[in-house]
Amino acid sequence: MAKPGALPPDSRFRLTREGGLVAAPGLMRAREFAWGDCQPGRQQQRLAELVDVARERATARPGRGDQRFFRLELFAGDDLTTPTEQLTIDETDAPPRLVALWEHGIPSLDG
Amino acid sequence: MVSTRHRRSGIVPPHILERLAQHAPDDIKQCVLETQRANEALQRMRLTAVTALPEAADELRRTIYDAGHTQDLPGRMVRREDEAAADDREVNEAYDDLGRTWRFYKEVFDRNSIDNHGLALDGSVHYGRHYDNAFWNGREMVFGDGDGRIFRPFTRSLDVVAHELTHGVTEATAGLAYQDQSGALNESVSDVFGVMTAQYAAGQTAAEADWLIGAELLTDQVHGAALRSLARPGTAYDDPTLGRDPQPATMAHYVETRQDNGGVHINSGIPNHAFYRAAMAAGGYSWETVGPVWYATLNDHRLTENADFAQFAGVTLANAREHAGRELADIVSQAWSDVGVTPAEV
Ligand SMILES: [Zn+2]
């Protein structure tokens, strides 16, 4: 597990929403982006904060009884096969900013 | 035919404590006497608690809440047991279908609610905004209204309401861990008892039933028939928004994935299809043939929390042999073989 706030500049991310009664592949809507896609300043700062909150709220056993959950995967560089870290957060514990990032992408970090 | 799990009160059995109290050295005797007193006090508390709890009653007690399109639970209480219908379709659907599911478990398996001790049934409707899901959160059943474009309100399907309630039953019995094969079994049990509840309510034989989960949830815009099909896993939908139903019917197409806790809603297609095949081969009503075998399996201590398909199949086969006879055992055995699962010796 990485240190709080430590996000290497070559970090890449994948954010999905999973589980739920329906659990259809089309509803996961994976969102992929890189640290470098975020503007230095507010966007990068908020992303770093969001990762910290996600680390605090992550649970190893999400999704029980059809509850939906978010999965935030962190990758180093171009290797998108094996995440260096993955965080699963129950929907009921997910910070609104994480939900917004999944729904609207990087621009939501300005809101 | 159903074995139930027993909880012991205290770790040291009372007869051993008694013997220790008579023959042990004084300091141990003192400990033992204190333990005995504590146990007796605990026993009295339990008896009082049981007497005081209205849950002990063998009757249906429902409460429906309106979450008011928020994600705050349970929400505002809108309909209690024996109260007149509300002016709200989803409230009444949840109320009626929780009742149908309770009656299914009571009349078919003599199970008194989720915990078999008359647990009151709580349900919340109008959860979240355009919320495309229903779930069991460990305390109650929660239903979204759907987004209106793909999904209708999640109270529309009796098999979905029964699916969620059955998650509570599984937690109270086998406790199948929600990950990989045991998680897929957890999901399958909810689908199997969900369709059986619907078949029982409609008085349908296995041959007459559609074996679909959530058929009433999909709007006309969706290219699909339901969320899942036990008869033909992988064929429930193929839609631009939902994607394609990813369920396999046999082990040859088992899906290895990190997502969805190892594909618990995906690989459940395999045990689902085994149940379907067994019920069809047995003929008649599913809840009279293989249903009791699956229910006994859920309550069988030989089924562990981390069971894989082979262990679950082994326990179904053992229960079929022990309680249902050779013919049904052969049918169950053939059904597992058809989906590529070899039952483990249990
Ligand atoms: Zn489920």
Side-chain angles (χ1 to χ4, degrees), chain A residues 18 21 26 63 65-66 73 91, chain B residues 131 164 178 242 258 260 265:
Chain A
E18 301 175 18
L21 172 76
D66 297 323
E73 292 172 301
E91 185 177 62
Chain B
Y131 196 78
E164 298 310 332
Y178 211 64
L242 290 178
R258 261 204 312 271
D260 185 27
H265 294 89

Side-chain angles (χ1 to χ4, degrees), chain A residues 20-21 65-66, chain B residues 134 163-164 167 178 186-187 190-191 228 265:
Chain A
L21 172 76
D66 297 323
Chain B
H163 174 110
E164 298 310 332
H167 275 308
Y178 211 64
N186 185 315
E187 270 306 313
S190 272
D191 279 350
R228 288 184 274 283
H265 294 89

Side-chain angles (χ1 to χ4, degrees), chain B residues 75-87:
Chain B
R76 187 171 57 90
M77 187 169 66
V78 283
R79 190 176 175 192
R80 283 181 300 186
E81 194 64 43
D82 294 331
E83 287 184 355
D87 187 19

Side-chain angles (χ1 to χ4, degrees), chain B residues 261-280:
Chain B
N261 291 311
V264 297
H265 294 89
I266 298 173
N267 292 312
S268 52
I270 297 166
N272 275 0
H273 194 55
F275 181 84
Y276 163 80
R277 294 189 74 89
M280 289 297 281

